[in-house]
Amino acid sequence: MKALLVEPSTFLRTVIGSIFARHNIAYDAVVNGESALAALAGGHRDLLCFSFELGDMRGTELLREARQRGLLGLTTALMLTSRRERVVFAEALAVGVSECFLKSDLNSFEAYVEQWEKSVTRRLSGRVLLVEDSITAARFYREVMSGLGLDVFWFKSAEDAITSLAQQDYQIVVTDYVLDGFQTGLSLIRAVRSQPGKKGEIPILALSALGSASRRVDLLRAGANDFVNKPVVAEELAARLGNLLTLRQLWEQLEAQHELLKELALRDHLTSLRNRHYLHGAWPQILARARQEGLVLAVVDVDHFKRVNDEHGHARGDEVLIAIAELLRASCRLPQEAIRYGGEEFLLLLPATPLADALRMADELCAQVAASRPAGMKMTVSIGVSSLQEGDDFDRLFARADVALYECKQSGRNCVRQR
């Protein structure tokens, strides 16, 4: 990656050169337009940066002459100027300048250079499903994609590509419109979009030599995310692939963050057990399963917990809750689950658990809490137990277990009762 800097001012050449150096961009510097044309004729530059006033010509004239001589190709052209007139910027854009910057605002210039360098040198990762009937074109695309760091899997027909898609995971699909076999790229795009789950959301880049606007619209409506006309330019293909994959990665990160936030909202921040919001949201599924395999609900209440907070402080109380929550968690075996219902009250959801086993488990928990001295405190729990009956909803099941818990309190605590 190499730049050519055209700037009469020694001071600005030094400043801009240091910007290039900070971003690992090799560069040559010249002082006027004629020297710039000679340098461009001597070798390709990825970036051309020049001032509007060059002494022997204007920067816009330099760019126009370089393009006429075929010296630039896809070189990115940036112009620096001290003049704020709109006409200067309009003239620069008209001859093909990518961006104009004021010499008084080199921070913006450096921000652009930094982003440009990252986009040019970025390495991609992932598996590409390439569908192209031309061996020559496929070889070219594979060279470009492999150079970006992508693993390419090539098929000539939509039929073979669809079979592979069902068997393998890909991060992007690149397909021509005209393919071997009886299906087109349009058919392939529809087939991809009909896939269940994540496979149906894979980014798709469509290619075609058929320059019909209606064809492009059909491909985009079918679900293609982007389109490239043939013959394909390597830099354009690389840029579009990079953009699609980057957008997909950002979307996946956003989805992961959303799922994490959902998970955090359904967990108690102190004990990390599932909370009341989770239980109420999941109850329809829990109940449907319980109708088939049964369910026992145990309500666990920490005895005299208010006394701990009053006499030892809330921090000590939190330590007690954390320790008891860990005992409850450790006692459960999937699909059993411990839930912090609120305050010092916990629930044990015990699906597919015989009532006798649930009562034995509750007795053992009472003994474990008393023996463990959570947070160094002499603590006990009371546990009310009830099993799901015909016609029960959560409120009815909970109410019976709560009555059993009240009976524990009336009986002196540190015990188990069943209703």
Side-chain angles (χ1 to χ4, degrees):
M1 187 171 54
K2 195 169 184 180
L4 177 64
L5 171 60
V6 193
E7 172 56 58
S9 166
T10 301
F11 172 74
L12 278 177
R13 286 200 305 273
T14 302
V15 173
I16 296 170
S18 66
I19 291 175
F20 287 154
R22 280 198 293 273
H23 299 286
N24 300 311
I25 300 173
Y27 73 98
D28 294 321
V30 295
V31 299
N32 57 39
E34 287 298 333
S35 299
L37 291 170
L40 290 171
H44 172 74
R45 299 300 194 283
D46 301 289
L47 181 67
L48 173 63
C49 175
F50 55 87
S51 283
F52 179 65
E53 297 290 351
L54 297 176
D56 58 346
M57 65 179 72
R58 285 185 167 179
T60 49
E61 294 170 337
L62 163 64
L63 188 60
R64 185 181 295 110
E65 182 64 24
R67 292 201 185 282
Q68 289 176 352
R69 297 186 190 183
L71 302 178
L72 291 181
L74 296 175
T75 299
T76 299
L78 306 180
M79 191 179 83
L80 295 164
T81 181
S82 300
R83 297 174 58 176
R84 294 177 175 270
E85 296 94 326
R86 180 62 189 169
V87 64
V88 172
F89 286 78
E91 180 183 346
L93 296 177
V95 297
V97 169
S98 299
E99 192 67 87
C100 299
F101 299 93
L102 290 170
K103 292 182 178 180
S104 59
D105 185 19
L106 291 181
N107 287 333
S108 296
F109 173 78
E110 181 164 8
Y112 181 98
V113 169
E114 180 180 12
Q115 184 179 14
W116 177 85
E117 187 273 335
K118 288 179 179 178
S119 67
V120 171
T121 61
R122 65 181 166 184
R123 296 285 294 173
L124 305 176
S125 63
R127 296 162 58 93
V128 181
L129 178 60
L130 172 63
V131 195
E132 167 62 65
D133 63 334
S134 166
I135 296 175
T136 302
R139 183 181 297 116
F140 169 67
Y141 303 149
R142 292 179 74 175
E143 288 177 358
V144 174
M145 296 176 194
S146 297
L148 295 171
L150 298 168
D151 296 321
V152 184
F153 298 82
W154 171 45
F155 299 91
K156 288 187 174 184
S157 70
E159 293 86 348
D160 289 342
I162 292 169
T163 300
S164 179
L165 183 65
Q167 299 169 348
Q168 302 288 339
D169 290 328
Y170 294 98
Q171 279 63 59
I172 191 166
V173 174
V174 179
T175 180
D176 193 5
Y177 183 87
V178 178
L179 302 171
D180 274 1
F182 296 100
Q183 294 186 334
T184 65
L186 191 62
S187 303
L188 172 61
I189 293 170
R190 290 198 180 100
V192 172
R193 291 294 176 243
S194 68
Q195 296 289 315
K198 295 291 185 182
K199 287 193 175 183
E201 301 173 359
I202 299 172
I204 301 174
L205 177 62
L207 315 171
S208 180
L210 305 174
S212 166
S214 62
R215 178 72 45 78
R216 293 195 297 272
V217 171
D218 286 342
L219 290 166
L220 294 170
R221 283 176 174 169
N225 300 93
D226 203 354
F227 181 90
V228 178
N229 277 310
K230 287 185 170 184
V232 176
V233 177
E235 290 83 354
E236 181 181 8
L237 178 60
R240 292 183 185 273
L241 285 169
N243 289 342
L244 287 175
L245 286 168
T246 299
L247 286 173
R248 183 61 189 168
Q249 290 166 2
L250 292 173
W251 178 251
E252 288 175 347
Q253 291 173 12
L254 184 62
E255 285 184 319
Q257 291 170 359
H258 180 64
E259 290 302 315
L260 177 60
L261 290 174
K262 283 172 57 179
E263 178 66 17
L264 291 174
L266 299 178
R267 285 198 179 273
D268 173 54
H269 74 280
L270 179 65
T271 65
S272 295
L273 296 179
R274 300 279 195 178
N275 61 21
R276 182 192 296 243
H277 299 296
Y278 161 77
L279 177 61
H280 289 172
W283 180 252
Q285 293 77 28
I286 295 171
L287 181 60
R289 188 170 64 246
R291 297 293 186 203
Q292 304 297 322
E293 58 188 31
L295 175 69
V296 175
L297 175 69
V299 180
V300 182
D301 188 82
V302 182
D303 296 328
H304 300 300
F305 182 71
K306 184 176 184 299
R307 186 184 304 167
V308 177
N309 282 338
D310 291 344
E311 296 179 2
H312 301 278
H314 288 276
R316 191 72 171 276
D318 287 348
E319 292 176 15
V320 169
L321 292 175
I322 292 169
I324 292 176
E326 189 54 42
L327 286 173
L328 297 178
R329 190 200 325 269
S331 70
C332 293
R333 298 292 180 266
L334 290 175
Q336 298 171 342
E337 186 166 18
I339 293 171
R340 187 181 181 195
Y341 199 61
E344 67 270 28
E345 193 168 64
F346 299 85
L347 302 183
L348 294 177
L349 290 179
L350 308 175
T353 304
L355 180 59
D357 292 347
L359 291 170
R360 188 181 309 110
M361 177 179 172
D363 284 329
E364 291 173 355
L365 274 171
C366 282
Q368 288 173 5
V369 171
S372 67
R373 296 182 63 84
M377 303 286 294
K378 185 177 180 180
M379 303 297 302
T380 61
V381 295
S382 299
I383 304 178
V385 178
S386 184
S387 58
L388 187 71
Q389 305 296 323
E390 186 69 31
D392 273 351
D393 56 15
F394 174 77
D395 290 338
R396 290 176 184 172
L397 177 61
F398 179 84
R400 285 201 307 275
D402 200 41
V403 169
L405 178 64
Y406 177 76
E407 292 175 355
C408 291
K409 302 293 186 180
Q410 294 297 104
S411 301
R413 297 178 170 82
N414 190 26
C415 60
V416 178
R417 294 291 184 269
Q418 179 253 326
R419 277 279 180 169

